[in-house]
């Protein structure tokens, strides 16, 4: 509906921001408890569901007010999270994704992710787009496209040239933000402490001459 919901990290600096995509202005923001390191965020109807890094704590907010309304626990670190319309899907930096009930937040089952039969570890930021799970592979500039029934990587997106814009900037870090506007079919990416969010169009890779 024209707004981007952003979760930021670092202890003592973690926030949730609501950004108006029309003018990039932050229209609402809350600071998290200094003991919590904010990680992935998913929208379900009138709720925001957020993971924390090492606290094994999920936080649920009212979408309109950003008021904390409930919380839940999980047995691992929390990295990325998305919603496929039926389940929450979370990552923890391993080669597995975990499906959670969107009401109880209990783990239902897991999905092992492989590329050509080899497990893909460091699965990080997640977004569910047109029947595929998009997963940023931490410390790389690649986003894997994962078939959710099999866990097979069916495509990879190379954002290396985009990340190269910041290669000499020591104040920023790795690519790790993915968002999708289903109504407008717009894909957005960013990275840790990047000063910009990019709307991108995916095109087939061309072989280098």
């Amino acid at each position: 509906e024209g707004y981007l919901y952003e979760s930021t990290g670092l202890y003592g600096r973690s926030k949730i921001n609501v950004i108006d995509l029309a003018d990039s202005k932050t229209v609402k923001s809350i600071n998290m408890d200094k003991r919590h390191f904010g990680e992935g965020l998913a929208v379900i109807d009138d709720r925001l569901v957020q993971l924390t890094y090492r606290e094994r704590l999920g936080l649920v907010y009212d979408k309109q007010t950003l008021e904390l309304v409930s919380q839940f626990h999980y047995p691992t670190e929390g990295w990325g999270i998305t919603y496929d319309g039926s389940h929450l899907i979370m990552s923890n930096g391993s080669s597995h994704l975990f499906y959670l009930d969107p009401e109880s937040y209990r783990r239902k089952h897991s999905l092992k992710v492989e590329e050509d039969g080899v497990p893909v570890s460091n699965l990080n930021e997640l977004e569910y787009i047109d029947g595929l799970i998009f997963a940023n592979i931490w410390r790389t500039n690649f986003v894997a496209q994962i078939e959710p029934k099999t866990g097979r990587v069916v495509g990879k997106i190379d954002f290396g040239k985009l990340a190269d814009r910041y290669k000499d900037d020591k104040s920023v870090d790795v690519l790790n933000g993915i968002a999708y506007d289903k109504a407008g079919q717009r894909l957005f990416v960013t990275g840790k402490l990047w000063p910009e969010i990019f709307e991108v169009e995916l095109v087939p890779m061309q072989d280098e001459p």
Side-chain angles (χ1 to χ4, degrees), residues 107-148:
R107 185 178 292 183
K108 305 293 286 186
H109 63 273
S110 64
L111 178 71
K112 186 176 182 179
V113 177
E114 296 183 331
E115 182 178 14
D116 298 327
V118 179
V120 179
S121 60
N122 289 326
L123 299 174
N124 187 19
E125 160 71 344
L126 305 176
E127 188 78 350
Y128 186 80
I129 303 174
D130 294 336
L132 295 176
I133 303 167
F134 283 47
N136 155 242
I137 303 171
W138 186 52
R139 293 200 178 280
T140 80
N141 294 315
F142 287 99
V143 170
Q145 296 167 298
I146 302 162
E147 206 290 312

Side-chain angles (χ1 to χ4, degrees), residues 47-49 58-62 67-72 105:
R47 288 171 286 156
L48 305 178
V49 181
L59 304 170
V60 183
Y61 303 86
D62 181 279
E67 178 185 358
L68 182 66
V69 294
S70 66
Q71 58 188 42
F72 61 97
Y105 308 108

Side-chain angles (χ1 to χ4, degrees), residues 35-197:
R35 298 171 297 175
H36 298 158
F37 189 120
E39 283 286 352
L41 183 77
V43 179
I44 306 179
D45 300 324
D46 59 353
R47 288 171 286 156
L48 305 178
V49 181
Q50 182 191 38
L51 301 180
T52 57
Y53 177 30
R54 290 177 170 165
E55 294 71 62
R56 301 186 178 189
L57 181 68
L59 304 170
V60 183
Y61 303 86
D62 181 279
K63 180 181 171 184
Q64 299 300 323
T65 66
L66 302 187
E67 178 185 358
L68 182 66
V69 294
S70 66
Q71 58 188 42
F72 61 97
H73 296 271
Y74 43 85
T76 65
E77 292 182 351
W79 287 37
I81 193 167
T82 189
Y83 181 56
D84 67 0
S86 299
H87 294 88
L88 286 162
I89 307 169
M90 71 170 281
S91 65
N92 65 355
S94 69
S95 59
H96 285 76
L97 299 177
F98 303 92
Y99 282 69
L100 311 181
D101 183 280
E103 300 300 328
S104 68
Y105 308 108
R106 292 176 180 170
R107 185 178 292 183
K108 305 293 286 186
H109 63 273
S110 64
L111 178 71
K112 186 176 182 179
V113 177
E114 296 183 331
E115 182 178 14
D116 298 327
V118 179
V120 179
S121 60
N122 289 326
L123 299 174
N124 187 19
E125 160 71 344
L126 305 176
E127 188 78 350
Y128 186 80
I129 303 174
D130 294 336
L132 295 176
I133 303 167
F134 283 47
N136 155 242
I137 303 171
W138 186 52
R139 293 200 178 280
T140 80
N141 294 315
F142 287 99
V143 170
Q145 296 167 298
I146 302 162
E147 206 290 312
K149 290 185 178 179
T150 63
R152 187 169 63 92
V153 174
V154 295
K156 290 173 78 175
I157 308 165
D158 183 0
F159 286 108
K161 290 185 178 180
L162 192 63
D164 281 349
R165 296 167 65 101
Y166 303 112
K167 63 182 179 181
D168 298 322
D169 188 344
K170 303 302 182 184
S171 67
V172 304
D173 205 337
V174 294
L175 175 85
N176 82 329
I178 314 169
Y180 185 63
D181 169 22
K182 185 176 181 180
Q185 297 186 322
R186 297 184 297 169
L187 178 64
F188 300 91
V189 296
T190 191
K192 284 185 181 291
L193 301 173
W194 286 21
E196 298 163 303
I197 297 169

